[in-house]
Amino acid sequence: MSDAFTTRVLNVASGSSERVVDLTRDCESFLREAAGSRHGLLNVFVPHATAGIAIIETGAGSDDDLLAALHTLLPADDRWQHRHGSPGHGRDHVLPAIVPPHATLPVVGGRLELGTWQSVCLVDTNRDNPNRQVRLSFLG
């Protein structure tokens, strides 16, 4: 594989509760190795049918607000036709239509170009799958 494209898979233990997991430090660490001082794009992708990637402020309540909003939009009840797993699990399969399973971010001089309060996060509402993979890819 060319040094113009580098990829790595993160294994993320998201646990057995709904979570927003901040991946920003993992992304920055990957870019220190993969990008050097180059410009390019970082693609973050979660290859799961029940999780997404969000760019959101964390630590000030916004991550909890996101989960609360998802509960309002996608209640964990028996309305869903997709019915295996925990009660209301069908909503987890709708999540990626609202919180997409990917994000592509600019990298300038080897550094992730996020706004002051932005973080790269895994959004996981699926209590049945406590282990996730996230693929980070840098295209220089």
Side-chain angles (χ1 to χ4, degrees), residues 33-118:
E33 295 173 28
S37 61
R38 295 180 295 159
H39 305 316
L41 296 171
L42 174 67
N43 182 263
V44 184
F45 176 71
V46 56
H48 296 280
T50 59
I53 300 294
I55 309 302
I56 188 171
E57 178 181 7
T58 59
S62 296
D63 35 357
D64 291 331
D65 290 341
L66 174 58
L67 292 175
L70 291 171
H71 272 279
T72 300
L73 292 169
L74 304 170
D77 58 22
D78 64 355
R79 73 182 71 200
W80 308 101
Q81 293 191 35
H82 188 108
R83 294 185 185 269
H84 75 84
S86 296
H89 173 66
R91 79 179 192 115
D92 299 328
H93 287 273
V94 177
L95 173 78
I98 296 170
V99 180
H102 59 87
T104 301
L105 304 162
V107 176
V108 177
R111 296 187 53 128
L112 195 55
E113 286 292 301
L114 291 172
T116 301
W117 304 111
Q118 290 179 318

Side-chain angles (χ1 to χ4, degrees), residues 1-7 30 34-35 38-41 137-140:
M1 194 177 314
S2 164
D3 68 346
F5 180 81
T6 307
T7 190
F30 169 69
R38 295 180 295 159
H39 305 316
L41 296 171
S137 301
F138 174 71
L139 178 61

